[in-house]
């Protein structure tokens, strides 16, 4: 996945704020690089155009189910950006 230009920092900040607003997210992590990555994905055979993709690395707070938190984060990130990108959530730690 290619990274967006650093000029998209405001979008990354918007994504980070949306993620941190989800119940059960304790923090963003940067285990494998930046905690929020935005980029373009190559189009699939049925897609006419390339689509943006977001990848988020986070830690889940104790007492929360990681799968439910990840689903809520995907929805929050998709809603936070006007082009509604696809979203991958990597739970890298449990706090």
């Amino acid at each position: 996945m290619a990274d967006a230009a650093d000029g998209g920092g405001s979008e990354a900040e918007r994504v980070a704020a949306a993620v941190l607003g989800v119940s059960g997210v304790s923090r963003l992590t940067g285990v494998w690089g930046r905690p929020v990555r935005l980029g373009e994905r190559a189009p699939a055979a049925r897609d006419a155009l390339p689509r943006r993709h977001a990848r988020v690395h986070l830690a889940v707070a104790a007492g929360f189910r990681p799968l439910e938190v990840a689903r809520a984060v995907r929805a929050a990130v998709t809603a936070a950006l006007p082009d509604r990108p696809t979203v991958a959530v990597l739970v890298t730690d449990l706090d």
Side-chain angles (χ1 to χ4, degrees), residues 56-94:
V56 180
H57 301 202
L58 56 86
V60 173
F64 289 88
R65 299 176 121 181
L67 179 58
E68 292 175 9
V69 173
R71 286 180 176 160
V73 166
R74 285 181 62 196
V77 172
T78 299
L81 296 174
D83 59 341
R84 302 184 56 80
T86 57
V87 180
V89 178
L90 283 76
V91 176
T92 60
D93 205 355
L94 302 173

Side-chain angles (χ1 to χ4, degrees), residues 15-35:
V15 168
V19 170
L20 292 171
V22 172
S23 183
V25 173
S26 59
R27 61 190 163 88
L28 294 171
T29 63
V31 174
W32 294 298
R34 290 175 290 186

